[in-house]
Amino acid sequence: RQSDEAALRRIFGDANVRQDRVQIGEGETLPGTVLFPGDSSRQLMILWSDTVRRRLPSRLILLGDSSRWSLKSGISLGTTLERLEQLNGRPFTLAGFGWDYSGVVIDWRGGRLATAADNAKLYVSPPPSKFSTPAYSRVLGDKDYTSNLPAMKELQPAVYQIFYDFPETTVDSVPPR
């Protein structure tokens, strides 16, 4: 939480740390840092509370099919809907597919992940080969769906994006390093 880009360069090496614009959704970007650019299994995007000094991470973003990074609960890119239900101990609520907030988990419905996945926002998607199926058309759009619907089970969605938000810290509340 107290890290900065300079520390990341010392730990991972200059070649593995790049300043870049980071996609945050709906076509918007913010200045950030990308660890291991070009290596999809190790890539991690970081947004900073202090964008000038590039310190105090505010959000970590994972995007893709699989990753070496994971949450404490073991959730990572590629974690299946079925596995999320197992970890949660019950079905949960997620947004429909095919729009900007496609597949975002909305409510863990009192399950174990309500606290274990705290500060993390997970997005799931079925494989593209399932986009033209009748099951996909039954769970489309800006609507809430339960994870245990037969259509969801048939689509076999998996986590493709994780946002981990650090608790709010104001730049002024932390002394410079």
Side-chain angles (χ1 to χ4, degrees), residues 15 23 40 85 95 136 153 159 170:
Q23 291 282 337
S40 62
E85 280 187 340
Y136 186 73
K153 299 293 188 186
V159 175
T170 61

Side-chain angles (χ1 to χ4, degrees), residues 77-91:
L77 300 178
T79 301
T80 65
L81 182 88
E82 180 181 19
R83 181 68 181 139
L84 290 174
E85 280 187 340
Q86 290 170 353
L87 291 168
N88 194 46
R90 65 179 60 170

Side-chain angles (χ1 to χ4, degrees), residues 2 44 56 71 73 119 174:
Q2 300 301 317
L44 175 68
L56 307 172
L71 300 173
S73 60
N119 299 329
V174 179

Side-chain angles (χ1 to χ4, degrees), residues 41-58:
S41 71
R42 295 192 304 167
Q43 183 170 283
L44 175 68
M45 293 165 272
I46 304 164
L47 298 175
W48 303 101
S49 297
D50 182 345
T51 58
V52 174
R53 294 184 186 160
R54 294 185 179 269
R55 65 186 181 107
L56 307 172
S58 63

Side-chain angles (χ1 to χ4, degrees), residues 110-171:
R112 289 187 294 267
L113 293 178
T115 54
D118 206 24
N119 299 329
K121 187 168 292 268
L122 306 179
Y123 293 78
V124 301
S125 178
S129 62
K130 305 237 180 180
F131 288 178
S132 60
T133 64
Y136 186 73
S137 65
R138 289 194 293 274
V139 289
L140 281 176
D142 183 5
K143 298 178 187 172
D144 295 352
Y145 296 95
T146 185
S147 61
N148 64 347
L149 286 174
M152 287 291 181
K153 299 293 188 186
E154 185 179 328
L155 292 171
Q156 300 175 322
V159 175
Y160 73 92
Q161 181 168 257
I162 299 173
F163 288 171
Y164 179 83
D165 291 324
F166 287 91
E168 191 74 27
T169 300
T170 61
V171 173

